Amino acid sequence: MKKTVRTRIAPSPTGFLHLGTARTALFSWAYARHYGGEFVLRIEDTDVARSTQDSVDQILQAMRWLGLDYDEGPIYQMRRLERYNAVIAQMLEAGTAYRCYATPAELDEMREAQRARGEKTHYDRRWRPEPGKVLPPPPEGVAPAIRFANPVDGVVTWDDVVKGPISIANREIDDLIIVRPDGVPTYNFAVVVDDWDMNITHVFRGDEHVNNTPWQINIFHALGAPLPQFGHVPVILGDDGQKLSKRRGAVSVTAYEEGGYLPEAMLNYLARLGWSHGDEELFSRRQLVEWFDGEHLSRSPAQWDPAKLSWVNAHYIKQADNDRLAALVVQQLARRGIEATADEPMLRRVALFKDRCATTVELADWVAMYFSEPQPSEADAAQLTDAIKPALQALADALAALPAWDKASISAALKQTLQAHGLKMPQLAMPVRVAVCGRAQTPSVDAVLELFTQAIVVDRLRKL
Ligand code: GLU
């Protein structure tokens, strides 16, 4: 019988959900869903000093926003210490792990001497029990670290789902510390026990972990545990060719949520960073799951491209329901201290502007003009010349006299004013926009005016 595919994402809660981790989560999730498997969320919180609840909350919120639903979890490593201790006890017993009493000062001295001899620094296995070797008695008052007794020869080999076959000679690998002197297990050990206990069949993770995998494979073997398949996903590079980082702009999923991106756009865009399905650029969550079979994962780094993300987001904004966009715009306006509701006029405003917006922040920029006094730039304000003011006042009167406030009536009032003053449409429409909207460029002026109240439009024109 074939094993159920089980994947996981295992973020460390030491900050927000990084885009790179979100992409790995997305791949792991899509892979599990494609094969009808299960996806697990594990919180790797063994770095006690740097892990925070706030970070856990942000990670959970970002996963929810992206729609990466998990079948198990969140499972916290710090709640599994008993289990790790039990495994350590077995390993000490079996001789696949041992206590090392070397102090940091002694280890420094050891490395110093190795450097002086021109050797690559490594742990010299001084506390590793070996046949015929007599170990000194454990020193008083030194809490030992526990090290993994890595095989001394042979080669570790695996067929990476992304990178293909990889081999590392064991002689290149030190006896790794698996429990620190304070009793907390280290990443490379806890991750193996967890992936084993949680029956993980496929481990997708960032490239930066590829050097850890040989240790982990050796620990799996030492525990007699079945190996998962590993897939190491290349890094994401910023515009400057450097690894995407905080210094080079927003790297948290939450920042993109706040920046007015839609989760389906983010999901679509992230999926294309290091994976492809033919030439497809725009696809739904359902299509992604249908196509994501573990093939066509790129071996080379992906390039973060804000312009493409904007393009993808603009596509989804155009497609989104007005109700949903109105609710998002209301949230964006609230951030600016503007109180609004997703009422009928709001729905119509959203419908009018959404085609020209790449984000809901841009959409809120448009809609904000309905809630604040116009503040035209100096250049725009220059259009409000003394020569045009009589026409604007005549238009105000014509608009004030309208029995119905709709696009057709507004348009008729505009035409009537044009004729009476011998003007062409742009000569009147531009200053009207500046006076009422505070900007010279908008969609068709009658459509924009219609979504203000009659009183506000008349008032803004008369005030000039
Ligand atoms: N906690 C590790 C990280 O966030 C997990 C790596 C892994 O998936 O094994 O990088």
Side-chain angles (χ1 to χ4, degrees):
M1 213 182 73
K2 256 192 118 193
K3 266 206 278 180
T4 305
V5 166
R6 283 176 57 93
T7 62
R8 61 16 169 225
I9 187 72
S12 304
T14 54
F16 44 71
L17 187 68
H18 188 280
L19 292 169
T21 313
R23 191 224 5 205
T24 310
L26 171 59
F27 286 179
S28 307
W29 171 86
Y31 192 82
R33 294 287 171 259
H34 176 85
Y35 288 105
E38 287 147 2
F39 174 56
V40 179
L41 172 63
R42 183 167 76 225
I43 302 290
E44 300 207 324
D45 53 355
T46 55
D47 185 347
V48 183
R50 292 175 58 229
S51 296
T52 65
Q53 185 57 43
D54 189 46
S55 166
V56 172
D57 294 343
Q58 279 203 44
I59 290 168
L60 298 183
Q61 157 61 19
M63 299 271 296
R64 212 170 14 245
W65 183 67
L66 286 171
L68 302 180
D69 55 318
Y70 34 91
D71 304 288
E72 278 170 37
I75 297 166
Y76 296 84
Q77 287 192 321
M78 285 307 281
R79 298 187 193 161
R80 289 177 41 78
L81 292 182
E82 239 177 83
R83 168 66 181 147
Y84 304 133
N85 287 336
V87 175
I88 287 292
Q90 282 165 20
M91 291 176 78
L92 287 169
E93 178 75 26
T96 51
Y98 61 93
R99 294 187 178 82
C100 169
Y101 292 89
T103 62
E106 285 167 6
L107 293 172
D108 280 346
E109 204 181 301
M110 171 195 78
R111 284 188 284 261
E112 203 46 57
Q114 288 166 344
R115 269 191 286 268
R117 293 196 295 272
E119 291 171 16
K120 219 173 110 191
T121 57
H122 60 280
Y123 175 65
D124 59 9
R125 304 204 281 260
R126 57 181 60 185
W127 283 96
R128 177 164 168 157
E130 260 150 328
K133 175 166 160 190
V134 182
L135 293 172
E140 291 279 320
V142 177
I146 295 175
R147 287 185 185 266
F148 174 57
N150 198 73
V152 258
D153 41 40
V155 176
V156 187
T157 302
W158 78 96
D159 192 6
D160 197 274
V161 176
V162 182
K163 292 171 164 294
I166 299 180
S167 293
I168 312 267
N170 273 323
R171 83 180 109 74
E172 304 285 335
I173 311 174
D174 268 0
D175 281 0
L176 181 78
I177 293 183
I178 53 177
V179 182
R180 289 190 296 254
D182 64 4
V184 179
T186 59
Y187 158 69
N188 278 299
F189 169 71
V191 80
V192 171
V193 177
D194 287 351
D195 286 338
W196 179 29
D197 286 355
M198 293 163 203
N199 296 312
I200 300 303
T201 57
H202 294 78
V203 169
F204 290 99
R205 61 182 164 213
D207 225 355
E208 68 275 18
H209 286 292
V210 76
N211 292 333
N212 289 320
T213 302
W215 275 309
Q216 295 182 20
I217 290 178
N218 285 335
I219 297 174
F220 271 103
H221 288 325
L223 296 176
L227 273 191
Q229 269 186 274
F230 295 96
H232 291 90
V233 187
V235 289
I236 303 174
L237 301 179
D239 308 352
D240 54 359
Q242 302 289 315
K243 194 175 163 188
L244 204 62
S245 78
K246 215 188 304 192
R247 262 175 298 128
R248 300 187 178 85
V251 287
S252 78
V253 172
T254 310
Y256 285 89
E257 179 182 1
E258 285 167 7
Y261 292 82
L262 299 182
E264 63 269 39
M266 214 57 201
L267 197 89
N268 185 152
Y269 177 74
L270 284 173
R272 281 287 291 108
L273 286 177
W275 173 80
S276 59
H277 181 81
D279 299 333
E280 305 284 353
E281 290 295 354
L282 296 167
F283 41 82
S284 67
R285 169 185 301 268
R286 205 173 43 75
Q287 283 169 313
L288 169 65
V289 166
E290 195 177 310
W291 296 336
F292 199 90
D293 57 4
E295 299 291 318
H296 309 293
L297 285 159
S298 169
R299 290 183 187 186
S300 35
Q303 183 80 40
W304 187 259
D305 180 352
K308 184 173 166 197
L309 174 58
S310 287
W311 173 76
V312 173
N313 204 50
H315 165 80
Y316 285 101
I317 285 190
K318 268 196 206 96
Q319 291 204 329
D321 281 349
N322 296 332
D323 286 319
R324 178 179 169 210
L325 290 176
L328 290 170
V329 165
V330 165
Q331 280 173 20
Q332 292 291 357
L333 292 174
R335 289 208 175 105
R336 306 172 189 196
I338 297 175
E339 234 180 273
T341 46
D343 52 11
E344 180 60 23
M346 181 62 88
L347 294 185
R348 295 175 64 200
R349 287 169 196 142
V350 159
L352 179 61
F353 296 107
K354 70 179 187 182
D355 282 0
R356 47 183 74 211
C357 294
T359 63
T360 59
V361 169
E362 284 179 23
L363 194 48
D365 288 343
W366 280 109
V367 173
M369 73 187 181
Y370 291 97
F371 296 90
S372 36
E373 289 297 314
Q375 286 176 326
S377 67
E378 229 171 279
D380 283 346
Q383 306 215 30
L384 301 170
T385 58
D386 285 343
I388 198 70
K389 281 186 183 163
L392 292 173
Q393 291 319 311
L395 177 65
D397 293 340
L399 290 173
L402 289 179
W405 186 248
D406 54 39
K407 209 168 121 179
S409 314
I410 294 168
S411 176
L414 281 160
K415 286 204 186 100
Q416 177 197 328
T417 312
L418 292 181
Q419 270 166 11
H421 291 260
L423 296 167
K424 298 237 178 312
M425 188 53 125
Q427 292 173 297
L428 183 62
M430 288 298 183
V432 169
R433 288 180 169 115
V434 173
V436 181
C437 310
R439 47 166 99 191
Q441 304 297 330
T442 71
S444 129
V445 67
D446 47 358
V448 172
L449 294 188
E450 184 196 26
L451 300 176
F452 286 93
T453 62
Q454 185 172 17
I456 287 183
V457 173
V458 171
D459 184 52
R460 288 187 183 178
L461 289 171
R462 283 198 172 139
K463 258 202 308 228
L464 294 174

